[in-house]
Amino acid sequence: MKARIAAYVGGMAFIGYGLSGIVTDVPVRRWAAWFVGAAVLHDGVLVPAVLVAGVVTGWIPVAYRRVVRGALLVAACVTAVAIPLVLGYGRRPDVPSQLPLPYGRNLAIVVGAIAAVAVVVLAAQMLTRRRPRPGNGSGGAHRAAPPGKKER
């Protein structure tokens, strides 16, 4: 319990330090623009994209839907982090060593690897999925004790 309280106090101290930096170092207009921009991006881009992905993946069988949605979520997070690099924000022509890599190609490789892992997991699920056969007794619910008797 004491460790949890110490963690909360430490976290609140870090939040207070961050807020004090925002208040003293960032003009209110810039902070407000960033805050409004984040809210617009969240409500105008992120939420609709997640809803559309949910609807589009609704046709996938329930047993496999979790893997597909998880892969889409991971790919979206990686893409969100990589977009500034792919678009070249901060790149200057007079400094060729700044952002020198082919970030678009590298993002495609990482997203392809995420898709490949998802395909392998889905294939493993399809191969190991057990289907009850008629007549082998595995079609019903398992009971630990017959009805009317209590387990000890």
Side-chain angles (χ1 to χ4, degrees):
M1 185 66 172
K2 289 181 183 182
R4 182 179 293 176
I5 292 172
Y8 286 145
V9 169
M12 293 302 289
F14 280 126
I15 290 171
Y17 177 73
L19 287 175
S20 70
I22 288 173
V23 169
T24 58
D25 297 338
V26 179
V28 174
R29 200 170 235 165
R30 281 185 54 207
W31 180 84
W34 183 89
F35 187 78
V36 168
V40 167
L41 279 174
H42 179 271
D43 295 347
V45 176
L46 180 64
V47 171
V50 168
L51 292 174
V52 167
V55 169
V56 168
T57 58
W59 60 268
I60 298 172
V62 176
Y64 310 120
R65 193 176 301 159
R66 182 178 290 168
V67 174
V68 173
R69 287 180 176 172
L72 287 172
L73 178 66
V74 172
C77 290
V78 168
T79 302
V81 170
I83 281 293
L85 299 170
V86 171
L87 297 177
Y89 293 142
R91 183 177 292 139
R92 291 178 29 193
D94 59 334
V95 184
S97 63
Q98 192 173 25
L99 300 175
L101 301 175
Y103 297 103
R105 182 202 67 193
N106 294 347
L107 175 62
I109 291 170
V110 171
V111 170
I114 293 167
V117 168
V119 167
V120 168
V121 170
L122 288 170
Q125 280 185 348
M126 287 179 192
L127 291 173
T128 60
R129 188 171 173 200
R130 290 189 166 179
R131 297 173 193 221
R133 295 182 191 156
N136 69 355
S138 64
H142 173 73
R143 291 189 178 138
K149 292 191 176 184
K150 294 182 182 178
E151 289 186 40
R152 294 183 184 194

